[in-house]
Amino acid sequence: MISLHSVSKTFGDHTRSVAALDDVSLDVARGEIFGVVGQSGAGKSTLIRTVNLLERPDAGAVVVDGVDLTSIGSGQLRLARQKIGMIFQHFNLLSSRTVRGNVELALEVTGAERRERRRRADEILDLVGLTDKAEAYPGQLSGGQKQRVGIARALAAEPTVLLSDEATSALDPETTRSILELVRTINQQLGLTVLLITHEMDVVKTICDSAALLESGRIVEHGPLVELISRP
Ligand code: ADP
Ligand code: ADP
């Protein structure tokens, strides 16, 4: 469902450069939850941002659902991105919009009519358990509730892929558990393929089917979780 083929990305210029990704290849199967784990600076953010081409690789191919995103034009890329939802460590909600408004905004790109946007927003807010907060503003919510809004917004355009950028890193352990449970439920109920990055091995152990270990821009381990955690 998601394949990176020999992806490289270097930041900087000829005087000082950092290889954030160095010949990275990985495959995420349809319907699985795949985790990329690594320390700060390993290249995780750069990796996940290449999957929707927020970051354009210097070399290599990024294939999502059979389409090589590095080889298509901007119109096609916009359509392909609608199929890729993303959630963030700091939620990235608009504070001036209500919970429902944040979700509806994400539906504007789909061209859905106003009434349909509202219906769809309320449907997703129900799915993430926030129906009673639809009129609230982000500033009135707990961290866990904010991330539920982030998830609802990411799901608005009915993506086939969900990218998670350290989505639980700002949350306490109990809230982390409930958000990971929600991600698992979405994965199972909607059949979404999930790619997450995290610096916490516990997150990977809790929900991932497969994982890769990233060190200094290179994948040093890659495989089903059961094999990875049983290695010495
Ligand atoms: P992680 O998410 O694992 O912490 P990043 O992908 O953010 O790692 O960063 C990988 C490396 O690339 C780091 O050395 C970082 O400093 C560098 N880097 C990331 N983004 C930029 C940028 N926009 N400009 C310069 N260097 C960058
Ligand atoms: P970090 O992981 O460094 O804490 P965030 O997860 O908050 O950063 O954001 C990651 C990146 O996603 C930002 O650098 C920004 O360019 C981009 N971004 C921010 N808001 C949105 C959004 N609503 N939709 C898509 N991309 C966004």
Side-chain angles (χ1 to χ4, degrees):
M1 186 68 179
I2 304 171
S3 298
L4 302 189
H5 298 290
S6 300
V7 166
S8 294
K9 176 76 185 181
T10 299
F11 291 106
D13 52 31
H14 56 278
T15 55
R16 191 188 158 276
S17 69
V18 177
L21 296 177
D22 182 5
D23 196 19
V24 167
S25 296
L26 61 81
D27 285 296
V28 181
R30 188 180 296 271
E32 80 172 337
I33 302 183
F34 190 105
V36 175
V37 65
Q39 294 181 341
S40 180
K44 304 181 298 296
S45 295
T46 306
L47 187 154
I48 203 162
R49 288 163 57 82
T50 62
V51 175
N52 55 11
L53 247 57
L54 281 174
E55 210 71 79
R56 191 171 273 277
D58 301 326
V62 177
V63 181
V64 178
D65 206 5
V67 179
D68 179 358
L69 302 185
T70 59
S71 72
I72 60 178
S74 58
Q76 274 181 290
L77 183 58
R78 206 170 329 112
L79 287 178
R81 278 189 177 139
Q82 284 185 26
K83 293 289 158 198
I84 306 173
M86 190 160 180
I87 56 177
F88 305 91
Q89 177 174 6
H90 300 296
F91 323 120
N92 296 353
L93 304 177
L94 289 180
S95 56
S96 62
R97 294 252 186 163
T98 62
V99 165
R100 181 190 286 122
N102 269 275
V103 179
E104 282 178 338
L105 189 65
L107 282 159
E108 281 175 17
V109 298
T110 66
E113 284 175 25
R114 200 187 167 122
R115 266 180 54 190
E116 171 58 16
R117 291 203 301 268
R118 168 119 187 194
R119 190 198 62 75
R120 173 76 185 141
D122 285 343
E123 185 180 81
I124 311 169
L125 288 173
D126 182 48
L127 178 76
V128 302
L130 278 185
T131 299
D132 59 337
K133 296 289 180 190
E135 313 281 343
Y137 287 85
Q140 300 169 298
L141 304 180
S142 68
Q145 288 169 335
K146 284 181 195 165
Q147 194 55 286
R148 283 172 191 270
V149 181
I151 291 171
R153 180 185 57 189
L155 297 179
E158 301 188 27
T160 51
V161 167
L162 179 67
L163 304 179
S164 170
D165 181 354
E166 297 276 8
T168 57
S169 296
L171 305 174
D172 62 61
E174 196 182 323
T175 310
T176 291
R177 254 193 311 281
S178 76
I179 292 296
L180 294 179
E181 265 171 39
L182 178 60
V183 170
R184 170 62 86 184
T185 302
I186 287 160
N187 161 257
Q188 288 174 347
Q189 284 187 4
L190 307 179
L192 246 79
T193 304
V194 179
L195 174 62
L196 66 85
I197 61 165
T198 179
H199 64 282
E200 293 171 296
M201 195 59 196
D202 274 352
V203 167
V204 170
K205 286 182 182 164
T206 305
I207 65 164
C208 292
D209 302 307
S210 303
L213 182 59
L214 193 64
E215 278 179 18
S216 304
R218 300 188 71 94
I219 301 247
V220 295
E221 301 270 2
H222 181 201
L225 194 70
V226 279
E227 288 178 18
L228 288 182
I229 58 180
S230 63
R231 278 183 205 163

